Amino acid sequence: MSGTASVKTFFLSRKDVVCILILAVVIMVVFPLAFDNFRLNLVGKYITYAFVAVGLVMCWGDAGILSLGQGIFFGIGGYAMAMFLKLEASSPENTKIQSTPGIPDFMDWNQLTALPWFWQPFHSFTFTVFAVVAVPALLALVIGLAMFKRRVGGTYFAIITQAFAAILTILIIGQQGYTGGVNGMTDLRTLMGWDIRTDHAKYVLYFISCLLLIGCVVFAYWVRASKLGRILVAMRDKEDRVRFSGYDVADFKVFVFCLAAAFAAIGGAMFTLQVGFMSPSFVGIIPSIEFVILCAVGGRTSVLGAVYGALLVNFAKTTLSESFPQLWLLGLGALFIAVVVLFPDGLAGLYRTWIDPRIDRLLGRAKPEITGSIPPAELTETTR
Amino acid sequence: MFSDYSLGDLGSILAMQGFAGLILFSVFVLMALGLAIIFGQMGVINMAHGEFMILGAYVTYLCSELFTNYLPALYNGYFPVAIVAAFCASGALGLLVEWVLIRHLYRRPLDTLLATWGLSLILQQVYRSIFGAREVGVELPDWMLGSTHLTDTIEVPINGIIVMCITTAITVAVYLLIFRSGWGKRVRAVMSNRTMAGAVGIDTERVDRMTFGIGCGIAGIAGSAFTMVGSTSPTAGQLYIVDTFLVVVFGGAQSLLGTIASAFTISQAQSTLEFFTSGSNAKVLTLLTVVAILMVRPQGLFTVKVRR
């Protein structure tokens, strides 16, 4: 393997750099040139889902923890941003027809006369940005500590995170006066005086999402190349051996769960900014499990695969459900089954088996070079 | 709010609310029994369990339609036929699904979760195409309607009593099947040690298939009972699946007694709380408590001691 040694000092191999650059070019040059504003805004929405998928690759693909509650973190991130935007949109001048001016319209409809205490800090943008990442990460920390310290994992963890997703949805829908209920928070207008509803603003927000996504992808690569990343994979494959080697397995699991939560929350916040509303339909069980399928289609062990998976599945969803609404659910169901039974490594697995060796041959390399990333591992069979 | 009621009224309300909880409990138990057999005994997470239940409900609906149109004289007796038909239909679908899909995934429990979720989406769409997206209801024969008065202020619906009788019968049957029959012995042997069970000549694959089939069949019966208390729609199963999983996990996955006890606790807590606060708050409080208890005691209420 000539050449690898010199490149390995940096956490990205030459090949990784090329692949990330290709992704950057696709989403930041090709898409803006190829699509009109409406389609680009849709892609922007898919990009925000990709954040969640990248988090799931770390959490599920690498560490073997299947979370069916990523919608919680996506939702909390999105709601935090929506609360700030909503407060800005409900200035006393804008809401002077209400019986209590200066509070969001849905509070007024629900006979609230003052802003609840937990809404107060969201007047500050700095606090909001902090809360977008910190609140979901803190929640993940609490859930993670409670579960992993007691060595609850695998299927139990999946079911309990799913229950959390259900609880949060019911709570948001039930507490209409505080959260906007089933309609969510709508009619978001400006971000610090900057109108986010114009085409230009959506264009700018799209590029900000792309840059953040590339940042998250690079960060994920960095974690995976570090010793921590190796321990995560080791833990997935033989948890007991890692524990007997003297590592506290729970700490690593908690960390990676929090990381995945933070990624999902960033996605949620960008979603709110680009789409202009947030509702419980992005929090519950169904979106949470759809995030998992994005990750599974792209390849649960490949960060870039998950990004492409998120884009492709959602393209397919939009196209199919526009023309054949009946077929979409059948297609999605079949996709779940096919990915699990036939292509457990998703798109990335297909790429590694079929395309990657050909590219290598084309470039004149005799054998495929071993990259810095994690090799295609066999499936995790040992998650209790 | 309580000053308007006398003490006797409050007692009656509590009793009737408790009875409503008992009906919910019965449906929970029926659904959770099938799930507990499949999850507890086989380790397979069947997210399509709700759809198997709905299949039973639709079969019951079809039966009642058949009887109305062709055998109106025998309409009073359609329900027993419907229960058997629902069990057979859901059980047969279960056997098919096990053979086509599940048996390839036994060593990957998390993947069974995803695959059966996909299956549930497909089944929902199929139901929607066949029966339409609207809810369908079954017309109950006369003897199932109405309610009996226990005292002047307490009255209980008859269909609720029937649902509870079915639940009791099925629970006893499942108990006998698992703990008193040869088949149950083989199931328990395979669960505690698959390799050894195979070594002493038990056909483990066949046991797996039958277990899955029977679990799904019981879900079908649950669906049949469900038609008496609610109306059936393609997505009704999904509403119950998370609750039911919590019931099974909360009770301790391998213990039948635990499943019944936790179904009782959860349904009673929920229906009693519903009276004091809004429905959504009652649900949130119940689920949060269950999750909190599970965090302290992840193995559930009752555990079976197994050497691993």
Side-chain angles (χ1 to χ4, degrees):
Chain A
M1 306 297 158
S2 61
T4 31
S6 59
V7 186
K8 285 286 282 189
T9 48
F10 187 51
F11 70 90
L12 294 172
S13 74
R14 194 177 297 149
K15 204 164 183 175
D16 297 336
V17 174
V18 172
C19 286
I20 295 177
L21 280 179
I22 290 176
L23 175 73
V25 168
V26 168
I27 58 176
M28 296 179 66
V29 179
V30 177
F31 286 166
L33 290 176
F35 296 126
D36 54 22
N37 271 327
F38 172 71
R39 291 273 157 193
L40 194 67
N41 190 230
L42 278 183
V43 178
K45 205 162 90 177
Y46 309 156
I47 296 264
T48 63
Y49 299 153
F51 284 90
V52 190
V54 170
L56 271 171
V57 168
M58 309 289 300
C59 182
W60 178 37
D62 284 359
I65 309 161
L66 177 56
S67 159
L68 292 182
Q70 292 307 100
I72 304 170
F73 308 120
F74 187 82
I76 294 180
Y79 266 100
M81 185 53 85
M83 282 160 86
F84 172 76
L85 297 175
K86 189 74 201 167
L87 280 182
E88 196 173 304
S90 331
S91 62
E93 304 90 70
N94 287 339
T95 53
K96 52 178 174 276
I97 50 160
Q98 292 176 179
S99 46
T100 317
I103 63 171
D105 44 13
F106 56 82
M107 291 187 184
D108 195 56
W109 300 331
N110 286 284
Q111 280 89 40
L112 260 66
T113 49
L115 204 60
W117 58 269
F118 62 89
W119 272 75
Q120 300 289 357
F122 286 93
H123 278 297
S124 145
F125 186 65
T126 328
F127 176 83
T128 306
V129 171
F130 171 73
V132 159
V133 181
V135 175
L138 207 65
L139 182 64
L141 183 75
V142 173
I143 298 178
L145 280 178
M147 309 279 290
F148 297 130
K149 285 288 180 194
R150 284 174 212 280
R151 302 191 184 177
V152 178
T155 52
Y156 282 80
F157 186 76
I159 291 172
I160 289 184
T161 46
Q162 193 170 40
F164 269 115
I167 293 172
L168 192 65
T169 323
I170 302 171
L171 197 66
I172 291 175
I173 294 176
Q175 302 297 324
Q176 216 172 23
Y178 299 116
T179 60
V182 73
N183 294 321
M185 292 187 198
T186 51
D187 196 23
L188 308 174
R189 295 170 192 171
T190 54
L191 175 74
M192 319 237 288
W194 178 53
D195 195 337
I196 56 168
R197 291 166 300 177
T198 61
D199 280 345
H200 175 72
K202 285 185 174 163
Y203 209 66
V204 173
L205 285 169
Y206 174 80
F207 280 99
I208 295 176
S209 305
C210 290
L211 284 174
L212 281 173
L213 181 66
I214 301 285
C216 283
V217 166
V218 172
F219 187 75
Y221 265 93
W222 178 66
V223 171
R224 300 178 102 202
S226 67
K227 196 174 163 191
L228 171 73
R230 307 266 162 190
I231 292 172
L232 289 180
V233 176
M235 209 167 67
R236 174 193 71 192
D237 290 341
K238 271 279 176 287
E239 187 174 326
D240 286 336
R241 279 192 204 168
V242 178
R243 187 174 285 134
F244 296 155
S245 316
Y247 291 102
D248 188 346
V249 172
D251 288 348
F252 292 99
K253 287 188 173 177
V254 171
F255 168 78
V256 78
F257 186 50
C258 290
L259 186 69
F263 280 179
I266 298 174
M270 291 316 292
F271 178 89
T272 307
L273 281 173
Q274 290 190 68
V275 181
F277 77 99
M278 189 71 208
S279 85
S281 57
F282 299 98
V283 178
I285 297 171
I286 293 171
S288 298
I289 208 158
E290 277 185 10
F291 289 134
V292 173
I293 199 68
L294 302 182
C295 171
V297 168
R300 60 184 83 168
T301 54
S302 161
V303 171
L304 290 175
V307 176
Y308 289 118
L311 294 175
L312 273 177
V313 173
N314 282 299
F315 269 126
K317 181 176 180 172
T318 316
T319 327
L320 271 181
S321 55
E322 268 170 11
S323 29
F324 321 95
Q326 302 257 314
L327 273 181
W328 163 243
L329 218 53
L330 285 181
L332 187 66
L335 191 65
F336 263 95
I337 295 175
V339 160
V340 167
V341 180
L342 304 174
F343 317 106
D345 278 321
L347 290 174
L350 295 180
Y351 171 80
R352 281 178 195 133
T353 338
W354 298 104
I355 302 176
D356 202 27
R358 268 154 226 239
I359 292 177
D360 283 328
R361 215 173 303 146
L362 219 64
L363 295 177
R365 281 186 222 130
K367 277 184 200 162
E369 182 185 355
I370 292 175
T371 59
S373 66
I374 292 145
E378 62 271 31
L379 277 161
T380 55
E381 291 182 343
T382 48
T383 36
R384 288 173 299 157
Chain B
M1 68 189 273
F2 298 112
S3 54
D4 305 341
Y5 302 104
S6 73
L7 204 63
D9 283 347
L10 269 183
S12 308
I13 287 167
L14 206 64
M16 282 190 322
Q17 209 66 24
F19 194 79
L22 280 181
I23 300 175
L24 187 65
F25 159 66
S26 306
V27 177
F28 264 154
V29 166
L30 278 180
M31 260 193 92
L33 271 182
L35 206 60
I37 292 177
I38 294 173
F39 179 55
Q41 311 290 319
M42 304 169 75
V44 170
I45 301 189
N46 183 14
M47 294 303 282
H49 200 75
E51 277 63 37
F52 282 101
M53 174 179 115
I54 295 304
L55 178 67
Y58 275 124
V59 168
T60 312
Y61 166 71
L62 284 182
C63 272
S64 83
E65 292 289 296
L66 270 181
F67 272 74
T68 342
N69 292 330
Y70 300 103
L71 295 165
L74 297 174
Y75 192 71
N76 278 342
Y78 91 90
F79 199 71
V81 182
I83 284 190
V84 175
F87 178 81
C88 294
S90 296
L93 184 64
L95 291 181
L96 182 73
V97 166
E98 203 277 349
W99 183 65
V100 174
L101 185 62
I102 308 288
R103 69 187 169 120
H104 305 292
L105 302 172
Y106 276 126
R107 296 176 64 195
R108 291 148 46 185
L110 289 178
D111 285 0
T112 59
L113 194 157
L114 296 179
T116 50
W117 181 267
L119 179 70
S120 81
L121 292 181
I122 293 178
L123 287 177
Q124 276 172 31
Q125 187 55 48
V126 170
Y127 298 153
R128 201 170 287 139
S129 308
I130 298 177
F131 298 99
R134 294 233 318 270
E135 298 193 338
V136 296
V138 175
E139 248 183 71
L140 294 176
D142 293 335
W143 60 275
M144 287 187 187
L145 288 175
S147 53
T148 62
H149 284 263
L150 291 183
T151 70
D152 289 343
T153 46
I154 300 176
E155 56 175 352
V156 289
I158 290 182
N159 57 2
I161 297 178
I162 296 173
V163 171
M164 282 157 63
C165 292
I166 297 173
T167 307
T168 318
I170 299 294
T171 312
V172 172
V174 167
Y175 172 81
L176 292 177
L177 205 57
I178 288 192
F179 292 102
R180 291 287 180 273
S181 77
W183 173 77
K185 201 177 268 176
R186 284 195 289 279
V187 171
R188 283 179 290 136
V190 171
M191 287 322 117
S192 53
N193 194 329
R194 182 171 294 267
T195 325
M196 282 306 290
V200 296
I202 296 173
D203 184 348
T204 55
E205 285 179 16
R206 198 157 154 265
V207 167
D208 284 337
R209 188 156 314 147
M210 288 310 289
T211 315
F212 197 82
I214 289 180
C216 292
I218 295 174
I221 298 181
S224 213
F226 183 71
T227 56
M228 301 181 31
V229 289
S231 49
T232 311
S233 71
T235 47
Q238 218 168 46
L239 302 176
Y240 286 86
I241 189 71
V242 174
D243 293 8
T244 321
F245 259 115
L246 277 186
V247 166
V248 173
V249 174
F250 185 53
Q254 268 129 0
S255 154
L256 278 185
L257 185 67
T259 304
I260 295 166
S262 82
F264 184 77
T265 325
I266 292 180
S267 55
Q268 284 303 322
Q270 199 168 316
S271 62
T272 317
L273 277 173
E274 252 169 34
F275 179 70
F276 294 105
T277 144
S278 70
S280 66
N281 278 349
K283 187 139 196 200
V284 167
L285 281 177
T286 323
L287 291 183
L288 267 184
T289 317
V290 168
V291 168
I293 293 177
L294 274 180
M295 285 185 165
V296 182
R297 200 180 151 78
Q299 67 274 44
L301 291 180
F302 293 77
T303 45
V304 178
K305 289 208 166 48
V306 186
R307 187 178 295 173
R308 293 186 185 280

